[in-house]
Amino acid sequence: MREIIIGVDLGATKILYGVATIKGEIIYSNIIPTHSEKGIEYILGKMTKAIKGLIKDYENTNKIKAIVIVTPGPLSYPEGVVINSPNLCWDNVALRDEMQKEFSYPLLVEKDTNAAALGEYYFGQDSKYRNLIYITVSTGVGAGIIINGKLYRGISGGAGEIGHMVVEPNGAVCQCGRQGCLEALASGTAIAREGGTKGAKEIGDSARQGDKEALRIINSAGDYLAIGIGNLVNIFNPEAIILGGGVMQGLKDLWLDKLRQQVYSSAFPLNTRKLQIDVTKLGDNIGLYGCVAVIIDQENKR
Amino acid sequence: MREIIIGVDLGATKILYGVATIKGEIIYSNIIPTHSEKGIEYILGKMTKAIKGLIKDYENTNKIKAIVIVTPGPLSYPEGVVINSPNLCWDNVALRDEMQKEFSYPLLVEKDTNAAALGEYYFGQDSKYRNLIYITVSTGVGAGIIINGKLYRGISGGAGEIGHMVVEPNGAVCQCGRQGCLEALASGTAIAREGGTKGAKEIGDSARQGDKEALRIINSAGDYLAIGIGNLVNIFNPEAIILGGGVMQGLKDLWLDKLRQQVYSSAFPLNTRKLQIDVTKLGDNIGLYGCVAVIIDQENKR
C-alpha cells in the first residue's frame, strides 16, 4: 500500500489540510477558515474533524504513516507546546498532546516556518543546498534554518525567529515589545501600518502605478529586509536564502532584484560567493510539502 | 609517546604559540609581537621559525599530531585562504598552502573565532552545551558557532561574522563599508573612537570613577552588544553564549550583569529558557586550547 501523510497547516486566518504521499505527491488538499476568534477548543475540534474525515477516506486503501500539524510559533520542542503565539493569540497550548489523544496514528507538530524550510529543502530545491534559510514574509517575518541537511531548532524549538532581530533600535514598536524588529519594519503588517487604510497588496499596486508614498513604503520595507538578510548571510554563510510568504510573493517584482543586489553588495564577499537568493516555487501548498518533509527529516538520522 | 599539537594563534598585534597535549594540557607557550606592518613574508617567516623551534625541541620525545594555525578572518574554507582581512591587512593569502610547504606534519588553518569557540566548547565548558556561540569583543567583534557539537563554518568558511550584523542603519561607518554594524558600535575600536584620545581600557576606568561621558560611551556600546546578542538568541536559541576577548574581559564588571538582564528580558521567553550567558574562563590561552580543539573537532565525525 502507498504510504501517505495527513498534513494540516494551521494559520491565523485559514487551515490548509490534505493528503500527500511520502514522496511529496499531493493527493488531496482543502482550505477552511480558522476563525481564531472562536478560541482554542473550536480550532482543535475543527482540525480533529478534518483529520478524521481524511482517515476515513484514505485508511482502507493507503498506509497512513503519520499525521503532521504545522502551526505558527513559538512552539516548544520537543514538547510541542505553543507558547505565547501572537498570531494565534494562544499561550501554553499543548498542541501535540491535545491532538495526539484523538488519534492512534503517530502525530507530529512542527513550527510552520520550520516545516516550510524542510519542504523547500527536500521538494523545492531537491536537497541541493545543505545550508539553507527559508524566510517567510507575510503578516509576520520568520525563518526556518537547515544546517547540514537537517532542521535546526535550537535547544527549545525557538530558532529561526529572525523577525525579532532588531535592526533599528528606535524604530517602530513590535508586537513582541521591542522596537525596530525586522517584523515591525518589513512585514505585511508593517507595510499596512505605514499605508494607513490600505493593505500591503494595494500599496504594492499603487507603487507599481508610480505613487510616490507607496513606493517609499515598499522600498523602506524592502531595504530593511535586505539589511536583515545581509545580516543572516554574514552570520550563516548559507548556500541559499529562499523567500516565501504572501507578501514576498506579491511584491516579488518590486523587491527581488534590488534585494539581491543589496545583499550581494553589502555582505562579505566570501559569504556571497556561493549564495543563491530566490523565491519559493512551491506556492500555497508549501505547508503540505512541509508536513511530508517533517517526516523525512525525522527519519534522516544524519 | 605523548601526542601533542603545535599551535599558533596569529593576531594583528601578537603571536601566541606553544605546545599542548591532545587532551588540552598546555606544555609550553610564548608570545611575540606580530609587526604586521612588516608584511606577509615577514610574518610567515616568523611563524615558520617559531614552529621549527618547537619541532626541534619536542619531536624526539613526543608524537607531533599536527600543527594548527589560527588566524583572523575572513578565511575561506576548505582552502585556508585569508580573504581581505581588515585586521591583518591581508588579501588572498593562501596561508594553509604557504605554511604547509614548510612542514611534513599535517598543518591545519582555522579562523580564530572558530577555534576559540571549539576551545570553549571542549575545554571551557566540557562539551556540555551542544549549541554554543562564542563571541569575542576586542578590536573587532566576531563569533564562532557550535551546532550539535560541531563547528559550523557555513558553505565557504564565512559563518560567524556577527560583528557585521547591522543594528543601526544610520550608525557609525564600519571598516567593512556598511553603517551601523555591531563592530562599529560595540568593539574596542568603537569605544576608543567615541572616547577621543583614550583607549577602551581607560574609558572603562573613567566610567568606574563616575565620569559621565565615559559611562555613556560604555553603556552605549554595552546596549548595542545586548541588542546583537538578543538577536542571536532569537535566531539560534542556543544553550550558551560565551563571551571573550580583551575588551569584554576588561569591561566584564560594567557590562555582564546588565547585558544578561537586557537579553533575558528582551529575547523570546522560549529562547532564553535554557540560556546561559557567561564570560570565558580560558583566559589568554584560549587560542592554544582552540588549536587543540580544532583537531578534536576534525576527528569527531558525528
Side-chain angles (χ1 to χ4, degrees):
Chain A
M1 276 204 286
R2 190 168 55 169
E3 280 196 313
I4 60 165
I5 307 288
I6 292 178
V8 179
D9 179 5
L10 170 61
T13 55
K14 58 183 196 285
I15 299 170
L16 164 69
Y17 66 100
V19 175
T21 68
I22 190 69
K23 292 181 178 162
E25 185 194 354
I26 293 170
I27 302 169
Y28 171 83
S29 73
N30 191 27
I31 289 173
I32 51 178
T34 307
H35 292 307
S36 58
E37 74 286 358
K38 295 192 183 172
I40 296 163
E41 292 304 318
Y42 173 85
I43 296 169
L44 298 187
K46 205 162 182 174
M47 289 196 291
T48 302
K49 194 179 156 203
I51 296 167
K52 285 191 170 162
L54 293 176
I55 291 174
K56 197 173 155 226
D57 291 348
Y58 287 86
E59 73 178 343
N60 291 332
T61 49
N62 298 273
K63 181 173 183 291
I64 298 176
K65 197 172 167 63
I67 300 159
V68 180
I69 299 173
V70 306
T71 171
L75 178 76
S76 75
Y77 182 87
E79 302 85 4
V81 176
V82 177
I83 310 285
N84 205 7
S85 171
N87 286 335
L88 290 171
C89 301
W90 283 7
D91 190 22
N92 241 16
V93 176
L95 183 60
R96 201 213 23 218
D97 290 353
E98 288 297 315
M99 293 299 291
Q100 179 68 80
K101 64 186 186 199
E102 302 286 340
F103 304 100
S104 57
Y105 295 107
L107 185 144
L108 282 82
V109 167
E110 188 54 80
K111 185 160 71 163
D112 51 8
T113 44
N114 285 347
L118 284 168
E120 194 57 40
Y121 173 67
Y122 282 108
F123 299 113
Q125 305 297 331
D126 210 14
S127 312
K128 72 175 176 287
Y129 302 118
R130 293 178 53 76
N131 297 302
L132 172 153
I133 302 177
Y134 172 82
I135 298 176
T136 178
V137 186
S138 60
T139 317
V141 175
I145 300 166
I146 307 293
I147 287 186
N148 292 331
K150 288 281 286 179
L151 174 63
Y152 174 73
R153 294 186 184 86
I155 184 65
S156 315
E161 295 292 351
I162 67 153
H164 304 280
M165 161 168 49
V166 171
V167 293
E168 186 74 270
N170 296 308
V173 174
C174 184
Q175 222 169 5
C176 79
R178 299 206 292 181
Q179 277 184 272
C181 290
L182 189 55
E183 179 162 307
L185 301 163
S187 65
T189 314
I191 293 170
R193 182 196 63 228
E194 295 293 307
T197 56
K198 291 185 189 172
K201 189 180 175 310
E202 292 154 290
I203 298 167
D205 289 341
S206 302
R208 280 183 204 95
Q209 285 153 27
D211 180 297
K212 279 190 182 161
E213 176 60 7
L215 260 174
R216 187 198 63 75
I217 294 169
I218 296 293
N219 286 338
S220 164
D223 290 347
Y224 282 117
L225 201 59
I227 288 173
I229 293 173
N231 289 351
L232 293 173
V233 168
N234 280 344
I235 294 169
F236 282 95
N237 184 19
E239 288 164 273
I241 300 268
I242 308 294
L243 301 154
V247 174
M248 184 66 225
Q249 307 220 28
L251 298 175
K252 180 181 166 179
D253 60 318
L254 295 170
W255 270 355
L256 185 60
D257 287 346
K258 194 174 167 204
L259 195 145
R260 280 183 176 138
Q261 187 202 319
Q262 286 172 310
V263 172
Y264 291 130
S265 68
S266 67
F268 271 32
L270 178 61
N271 294 39
T272 56
R273 222 183 239 188
K274 295 180 185 172
L275 175 67
Q276 297 297 321
I277 299 178
D278 233 314
V279 172
T280 181
K281 290 176 192 81
L282 293 183
D284 294 338
N285 276 332
I286 192 165
L288 290 181
Y289 288 109
C291 290
V292 177
V294 164
I295 298 297
I296 301 176
D297 185 60
Q298 195 203 28
E299 296 191 339
N300 172 2
K301 299 294 176 202
R302 184 163 13 98
Chain B
M1 278 205 285
R2 189 168 55 169
E3 279 196 313
I4 61 165
I5 306 288
I6 292 178
V8 180
D9 179 5
L10 170 62
T13 56
K14 58 184 197 283
I15 299 169
L16 164 69
Y17 66 99
V19 175
T21 68
I22 190 70
K23 291 180 178 162
E25 184 195 354
I26 292 170
I27 302 169
Y28 170 84
S29 73
N30 191 28
I31 290 172
I32 51 177
T34 307
H35 292 305
S36 58
E37 74 285 358
K38 293 192 183 172
I40 297 162
E41 292 303 320
Y42 173 84
I43 296 169
L44 298 188
K46 206 163 181 174
M47 290 196 291
T48 302
K49 195 179 155 201
I51 297 167
K52 286 192 169 163
L54 293 176
I55 291 174
K56 197 173 154 226
D57 292 348
Y58 287 86
E59 73 177 343
N60 292 331
T61 50
N62 299 273
K63 180 172 184 293
I64 298 176
K65 197 170 167 61
I67 301 161
V68 181
I69 299 174
V70 306
T71 171
L75 178 76
S76 75
Y77 181 86
E79 304 84 5
V81 176
V82 177
I83 311 285
N84 205 6
S85 172
N87 286 335
L88 291 170
C89 301
W90 282 8
D91 189 22
N92 242 12
V93 176
L95 182 59
R96 198 208 31 212
D97 290 352
E98 287 297 316
M99 292 301 291
Q100 179 69 80
K101 66 186 184 196
E102 301 287 338
F103 304 101
S104 56
Y105 295 107
L107 185 143
L108 282 83
V109 167
E110 189 53 80
K111 186 159 71 162
D112 50 8
T113 44
N114 284 348
L118 285 168
E120 193 59 39
Y121 173 68
Y122 281 109
F123 299 113
Q125 307 295 332
D126 212 13
S127 312
K128 73 174 173 289
Y129 301 119
R130 292 177 54 76
N131 297 303
L132 172 152
I133 302 178
Y134 172 83
I135 298 176
T136 180
V137 185
S138 60
T139 316
V141 174
I145 300 166
I146 308 293
I147 287 186
N148 292 331
K150 288 280 287 179
L151 175 63
Y152 174 72
R153 294 187 184 88
I155 184 66
S156 316
E161 294 292 352
I162 67 151
H164 304 281
M165 162 169 48
V166 171
V167 292
E168 186 75 270
N170 295 307
V173 174
C174 184
Q175 223 169 3
C176 79
R178 299 207 289 181
Q179 277 184 272
C181 289
L182 188 56
E183 179 162 306
L185 302 163
S187 65
T189 313
I191 294 170
R193 181 196 64 228
E194 295 293 307
T197 56
K198 292 184 187 172
K201 191 181 174 309
E202 294 154 289
I203 298 166
D205 290 341
S206 302
R208 279 182 205 97
Q209 286 153 27
D211 181 296
K212 279 188 183 161
E213 175 60 8
L215 261 173
R216 186 196 64 75
I217 294 169
I218 296 293
N219 286 339
S220 164
D223 290 348
Y224 281 117
L225 201 57
I227 287 173
I229 292 173
N231 288 351
L232 294 173
V233 168
N234 280 345
I235 295 169
F236 283 95
N237 184 18
E239 291 165 272
I241 300 268
I242 309 294
L243 300 154
V247 173
M248 184 66 227
Q249 308 221 28
L251 298 175
K252 179 181 166 179
D253 61 318
L254 296 170
W255 271 354
L256 185 61
D257 287 345
K258 194 173 167 206
L259 194 143
R260 279 183 177 139
Q261 188 201 318
Q262 287 173 309
V263 172
Y264 291 131
S265 68
S266 67
F268 271 32
L270 178 62
N271 295 40
T272 56
R273 220 182 239 190
K274 296 180 182 170
L275 175 67
Q276 298 295 321
I277 299 179
D278 232 316
V279 172
T280 180
K281 292 177 191 79
L282 294 181
D284 293 337
N285 276 332
I286 192 165
L288 290 181
Y289 287 109
C291 289
V292 177
V294 164
I295 298 297
I296 301 175
D297 185 60
Q298 195 204 29
E299 295 190 340
N300 172 2
K301 298 295 176 201
R302 183 163 15 92

